[in-house]
Amino acid sequence: MEKKIIFKLLGMALLMASCHHKQTADISNQPIAVKTQKVEYKDYAMPVISSGMITSGTEARLSFKTGGVISRMYVKEGEMVYKGQLLAMLNMTEVDAQVTQLQSAYKKAKRDYIRAENLLKDSATTREEWENASTELQMSGESLKIASFNKQFSAIYSTVSGRVISKLSNEGEMAAPGSPVYIINSTNDDDWIIRVGVSDKDWARIRLKDKAAVTLDAYPGLIFTGMVSNIAQASDLNSGTFAIELKINPGTQKFANGLIGKVQISPTITDKVYLIPIAAIQEADAQSGNVFSVSSNRKMATIHKVQVAYILKDMVAVRSGLENVNEVITEGGAYLSDKLPLKIQH
């Protein structure tokens, strides 16, 4: 009795498997419904996206030419200054004394020269004595020029109109020659820049005067125009990226040092690529993928191995593999294989 039941169940299982196989075969012969979209073949440049900090392209590090005790400092950090404005002065006691001393030495040398010249005319002295007096007059005159020049630069005047971003000394302190006392950044509209770091591949595609769009957290929704003004010729040792400098036009908005911006550079160097919807790519990786197109009789699928140039937001740029292909399958491709029947839906 048990054997009869087992054989009966086995027979039913074989019958069901046979029916399922027949049903699958019938389905596989049915055309698969698909949708297609046109392929765009065009010149395209993938944008270079990076971020950086806004600063002034003109930075003045102002110092005294000679050393001395700082007598007065007229501006503080954060203050706006204009070109030619007096910012600081040294104690002029020593400088004035040196100028006065050299003025007296020059006057004496001039008197000695005139006396020697008159004596030479009367043959009362030698030509060598006259030449020595002439040399002494020339040397004292040059020394006086140097002292007068140093006196002129014992005060600091702003070389740009901008904002004091750093004040490095105070009144009463000893200032060393050439050591910065003030750091001033220009605030002229054409002096604002943003520096970003890019990879070597992006660096190779960027050229001077390439246009860019800049967005700032400080001004949500606004897009500022930029232009590449400088391209580094060596990578940064720490980050390994290449520095790109862009000039930015603030328009009617005010900028400040330290604002963070996002940059999208549009390279002028383009690639010839096929632009297709991202839904058309099957079994893809970063460099390649499969794409299905419609056969010439528009009844079968044809598979293409394509080389991916780059992936955009909703499109894929394909470098090769779609030659002579006008449209690709965007829906239904997951159920296709090469030469499989299909039906195009509109």
Side-chain angles (χ1 to χ4, degrees), residues 304-320:
H304 304 269
K305 188 75 171 180
V306 298
Q307 182 184 7
V308 176
Y310 33 80
I311 299 175
L312 307 176
K313 183 178 181 181
D314 54 357
M315 303 288 285
V316 176
V318 172
R319 186 168 284 113
S320 64

Side-chain angles (χ1 to χ4, degrees), residues 292 295 299-303 336-342:
F292 287 99
S295 63
K299 293 183 178 180
M300 289 190 302
T302 302
I303 193 169
L336 292 175
S337 60
D338 196 31
K339 309 302 182 183
L340 200 69
L342 56 78

Side-chain angles (χ1 to χ4, degrees), residues 37-42 44 46 273-281 308-318 328 330:
Q37 190 164 324
K38 294 291 185 181
V39 176
E40 293 183 71
Y41 184 59
K42 61 190 297 185
Y44 188 81
M46 183 178 181
V273 295
Y274 302 90
L275 288 179
I276 61 175
I278 198 167
I281 293 286
V308 176
Y310 33 80
I311 299 175
L312 307 176
K313 183 178 181 181
D314 54 357
M315 303 288 285
V316 176
V318 172
V328 293
T330 56

Side-chain angles (χ1 to χ4, degrees), residues 58-73:
T58 303
E59 182 181 86
R61 302 175 69 86
L62 304 178
S63 61
F64 295 106
K65 181 182 180 299
T66 57
V69 178
I70 300 175
S71 174
R72 294 292 303 275
M73 299 192 75

Side-chain angles (χ1 to χ4, degrees), residues 34-40 274-277 280 291-298 302 304 322-330 342 344-346:
V34 299
K35 289 185 178 181
T36 64
Q37 190 164 324
K38 294 291 185 181
V39 176
E40 293 183 71
Y274 302 90
L275 288 179
I276 61 175
V291 174
F292 287 99
S293 70
V294 181
S295 63
S296 57
N297 62 8
R298 303 186 67 78
T302 302
H304 304 269
L322 291 179
E323 293 77 9
N324 302 318
V325 175
N326 296 321
E327 58 183 339
V328 293
I329 295 172
T330 56
L342 56 78
I344 301 175
Q345 290 184 333
H346 298 284

